[in-house]
């Protein structure tokens, strides 16, 4: 059980402190909601959305939705680190497939060619290119799964 002061949280108009004993979950919910209100006010001021909130219904939400939260920034940085790690492993992984498969995978995924364009450039059938790319991807998946097991 925690003791909270209602004057500090929800009733600033109270002249005296009003102490109430509540459970831990309720106290945590109250503190979290107060933090969210304070953060909302801070973001509103930071993005200068406070002067025209009554102009349109969407103004405040537009200003506030375009600023990522610290949690979003952390998740984004973790995703970028994972992406960079996988890209650094990609060249090593492409050495595990044949030279033709690696060339076709690079053309298909990185240069934006489709199977027909690759087949025409190399003078082979489209089905051969398709099977080659899929076989190379299968070998790349095996390589990445082995790498994950060793980590």
């Amino acid at each position: 059980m925690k003791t909270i002061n209602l004057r500090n949280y929800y009733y600033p108009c109270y002249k005296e402190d009003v102490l109430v004993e509540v459970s831990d979950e309720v106290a945590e919910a109250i503190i979290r909601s107060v933090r969210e209100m304070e953060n909302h006010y801070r973001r509103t001021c930071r993005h200068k959305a406070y002067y025209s909130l009554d102009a349109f219904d969407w103004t405040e939400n537009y200003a506030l939705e375009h600023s990522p939260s610290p949690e979003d920034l952390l998740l984004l940085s973790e995703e970028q680190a994972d992406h960079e790690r996988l890209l650094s492993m990609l060249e090593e992984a492409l050495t595990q497939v044949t030279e033709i498969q690696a060339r076709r995978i690079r053309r298909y995924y990185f240069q934006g060619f489709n199977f027909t364009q690759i087949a025409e450039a190399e003078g082979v059938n489209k089905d051969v290119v398709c099977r080659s790319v899929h076989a190379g991807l299968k070998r790349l998946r095996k390589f990445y799964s082995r790498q994950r097991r060793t980590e």
Side-chain angles (χ1 to χ4, degrees):
M1 299 293 281
K2 289 187 177 181
T3 304
I4 61 168
N5 188 349
L6 290 180
R7 189 179 70 145
N8 291 345
Y9 292 110
Y10 282 114
Y11 303 104
C13 59
Y14 282 6
K15 304 284 186 229
E16 300 174 4
D17 292 340
V18 178
L19 302 175
V20 178
E21 195 168 304
V22 294
S23 66
D24 293 339
E25 294 85 15
V26 172
E28 184 178 323
I30 290 173
I31 292 171
R32 190 177 334 117
S33 67
V34 168
R35 285 182 186 153
E36 287 175 3
M37 288 189 300
E38 290 171 353
N39 290 340
H40 180 271
Y41 177 73
R42 246 184 261 115
R43 284 194 307 269
T44 303
C45 292
R46 182 183 318 129
H47 296 289
K48 297 178 177 46
Y50 56 87
Y51 61 89
S52 63
L53 295 181
D54 295 331
F56 304 104
D57 293 337
W58 54 266
T59 308
E60 180 179 9
N61 290 335
Y62 179 81
L64 298 177
E65 287 174 1
H66 286 78
S67 61
S69 67
E71 181 182 0
D72 292 338
L73 292 173
L74 180 65
L75 290 174
L76 182 63
S77 66
E78 288 175 358
E79 287 175 6
Q80 286 176 346
D82 286 343
H83 182 72
E84 290 172 6
R85 183 180 57 83
L86 288 174
L87 283 179
S88 67
M89 291 173 55
L90 182 62
E91 285 304 317
E92 181 184 352
L94 286 174
T95 62
Q96 305 297 315
V97 298
T98 65
E99 183 180 326
I100 295 171
Q101 287 174 335
R103 181 180 68 232
R104 290 175 179 166
I105 288 172
R106 282 189 185 101
R107 282 188 177 174
Y108 184 72
Y109 284 103
F110 301 131
Q111 297 172 357
F113 288 90
N114 60 27
F115 292 139
T116 307
Q117 292 170 331
I118 296 170
E120 289 173 359
E122 294 180 1
V124 296
N125 191 339
K126 177 181 126 177
D127 295 333
V128 173
V129 173
C130 182
R131 278 186 266 135
S132 173
V133 168
H134 289 302
L137 291 176
K138 187 176 179 181
R139 292 175 83 177
L140 289 176
R141 282 189 202 100
K142 285 182 183 178
F143 172 77
Y144 279 120
S145 66
R146 279 185 300 207
Q147 290 295 323
R148 287 186 185 142
R149 276 188 251 134
T150 59
E151 288 179 353

